[in-house]
Amino acid sequence: MRTPSTQLINDTPNIYSPANVAVEPVFIRFNGSLDFPSIYRGPPSPEIDAAWNGIANNLTQMTREEILKGGTSEAELPWKARYPEKIGGQYIGFMEAIHQLHCVNFLRQASWWEYYGSIQEPVFQTTPRVVRAHIDHCIEMIRQNIMCRADTTMISWYWVQGETTPLPNFNTRHRCRNFDKIWDWSIKNSIHLAETEVARSPDSVDLPRPQGHVHVHEE
C-alpha cells in the first residue's frame, strides 16, 4: 500500500472558523491495542479527570464579523449569546472538536455511573430523562461527525500467534490535524466565565423551543 501524500487535500474546511489559522497537517499512528495504557482510560481517578478536563473544556469568543463569516445571517444575530460588556461583549462559542471530546468524556463518565453519578458530573444529578437525553445526544453527535469525516484509512488483518483466526490491526497511520496547535490557539483565545455571569443583551431574542425538546436544566 502506498504511503499517503504529505499534503492534506482540502483539509481546511470551507466553513469559516477563526481557528482555521491553527490547522496544521500531521501524520499519527494510532494505538488501537485493546490494553493500550493511556491517561484517558481506566477506572476513575483525579489524574484521568484532569487529563480529560485538559482537552474537553474551553470557551472562546467571536467577533460579529467572525460570526457572519461562519454563515450566520444578520437576522440570526439577536439569538446569539454574548459575553458581558465588561469583558468585551463578544459572542460565545467553542469549537466542535471540543464539544465532541466533551461528549466522549460524558459517555466515559456514564460508563462509570456508580462513581460519577454521586460526586462529579452535574447532569447526573438531574432526572433520568435528562441524563438519557444527554447520552443519546452525544452518541448522535459522534455518529454524525464520524460519517461526516468518513476516515478512509484501511485496516489490515493479520495472523497472530495463538489465535485461530486473523485479527484486525488498529495501529494504523492517519492523516490528522495537530491537535496541540489547535488547542493552544483555543487556550490563547479562551474565556473563563460562569454561566450565571452571562447576561442577556437588550436586543436578545429567544429561539423557539423544538417540539418534544427536553429542558437541559430539568429537575
Side-chain angles (χ1 to χ4, degrees), residues 11 13-14 24 32 34 36 62 102 117-118 127 170 186 194 207:
D11 183 63
N14 293 326
E24 176 183 87
L34 292 180
F36 167 55
M62 294 175 287
H102 162 79
S118 61
T127 66
F170 296 109
S186 180
L207 280 172

Side-chain angles (χ1 to χ4, degrees), residues 89-164:
Q90 306 288 22
Y91 292 91
I92 302 172
F94 66 125
M95 286 187 291
E96 184 69 60
I98 305 301
H99 174 234
Q100 292 156 7
L101 286 169
H102 162 79
C103 270
V104 174
N105 188 35
F106 180 77
L107 296 176
R108 177 190 69 86
Q109 291 173 327
S111 74
W112 296 97
W113 182 272
E114 292 183 0
Y115 178 83
Y116 290 103
S118 61
I119 66 171
Q120 291 286 327
E121 180 62 41
V123 72
F124 291 146
Q125 311 306 316
T126 61
T127 66
R129 186 172 79 118
V130 171
V131 174
R132 185 70 252 174
H134 276 274
I135 291 174
D136 289 344
H137 158 77
C138 280
I139 292 172
E140 183 62 10
M141 291 302 297
I142 294 169
R143 177 199 66 79
Q144 291 183 54
N145 183 66
I146 291 172
M147 294 181 70
C148 173
R149 301 296 177 183
D151 189 344
T152 57
T153 303
M154 300 301 294
I155 298 172
S156 300
W157 291 63
Y158 292 81
W159 290 106
V160 179
Q161 187 176 16
E163 301 290 340
T164 58

Side-chain angles (χ1 to χ4, degrees), residues 161-177:
Q161 187 176 16
E163 301 290 340
T164 58
T165 58
L167 299 177
N169 180 5
F170 296 109
N171 303 315
T172 49
R173 192 164 177 253
H174 290 254
R175 299 193 304 180
C176 303
R177 293 178 175 181

Side-chain angles (χ1 to χ4, degrees), residues 18 58-61 83 183-191:
N58 212 359
L59 290 176
T60 188
Q61 57 181 337
Y83 292 107
W183 180 252
D184 287 344
W185 180 95
S186 180
I187 292 292
K188 291 176 182 177
N189 292 274
S190 65
I191 292 290

